[in-house]
Amino acid sequence: MTTTNLPMPDVRSAPPRRRTRPLQVGPVPVGGDAPVSVQSMTTTLTADVDATLQQIAALTAAGCQIVRVAVPSQDDADALPAIAKKSQIPVIADIHFQPKYVFAALDAGCAAVRVNPGNIKKFDDKVHEIARAASDAKVPIRIGVNAGSLDKRLFAKYGKATPEALVESALWECSLFEEHGFTDLKISVKHHDPVTMVRAYELLADACDYPLHLGVTEAGPLLQGTIKSAVAFGSLLMRGIGDTIRVSLSADPVEEVKAGIGILESCGLRQRRLEIVSCPSCGRAQVDVHTLAEKVTAALDGLPYPLRVAVMGCVVNGPGEAREADLGVSCGNGKGQIFRKGEVIATVPESKIVETLVEEALRIGEAGEFEGELTS
């Protein structure tokens, strides 16, 4: 397993972080002063080692830093040693129903274990054994409370999965581990409703100093799920709450990673990469801004250094936005005025805009005229 280099935040705009207990998920630091990390989860059958490792490789290439794999059966548990050994990023075993798979995950070399106490048989009775085994293996545990699998006792007490019910469940389970001297814990209290989820994390942040994993569970398809997660995560992250995140989408998990990275960049918690500033469609536009912005994005995607590029369709806001960007174009009358670092450097035909922006972007990279670090 290789160590993941965590991109540092943009210190000019990063909000102050809630201080939490630090822990290690393999080589990735979580909590304390560590940057917020992006997680995802494989959709393959974990027992299919090759397919799972292929998906982990795709997630790693997209920027995922920690990956979770489901372990609902013995075949899945048997596959963990090979997956944990060959994965380029830390592997978390996701355990439901059978506590015996917690021990299998620890023996397999997984970097962390996630347990859902609400649906593990006699989980509370097994805490002593789990705490001792996790402590011996020096492996952290995430207490993952979900609205859909809330402990029946708490559901009876509160009538539904309220923020208070989710928090009480998480803190109760933490207290059981604490009784046995184990505090290498991370907590999540997930709900499908962003408002309920945010309130639960607010209460949890006030009640403990454990690192928190943010998630809107069952967030939905790509667009809806991204919006719900961005609203919830942004509200919490801008107040310093949250140490790891997963955008849970009914989509290719690579899209979860892209969305998570984008959220962190927008919150000033991750060094931005390519950022396209483009105007919305309106009657003033003298160019097809939508198509032009897509072409510019495709042409510049993958640059190993941060770059803000403005693609503007008219002279109202165009020149101002183009000057504020690292590189920009303000369009009108079939031409594009190209700006680099606030200065007009050329006027080119519309057909040459994308080509010119790419050339200038490469020159910026060659000259080292960018703020931030190169990405691997």
Side-chain angles (χ1 to χ4, degrees), residues 355-370:
E355 175 185 331
T356 305
L357 289 176
V358 171
E359 292 173 352
E360 293 303 323
L362 294 176
R363 289 193 180 101
I364 289 174
E366 291 170 358
E369 297 176 356
F370 53 85

Side-chain angles (χ1 to χ4, degrees), residues 46-50 52-53 56 76-88 91 108-110:
T46 304
D48 188 338
V49 174
D50 290 341
T52 301
L53 286 172
I56 291 175
D76 299 314
D78 292 340
L80 288 176
I83 293 171
K85 181 179 180 179
K86 296 179 180 179
S87 173
Q88 293 178 295
V91 174
C110 290

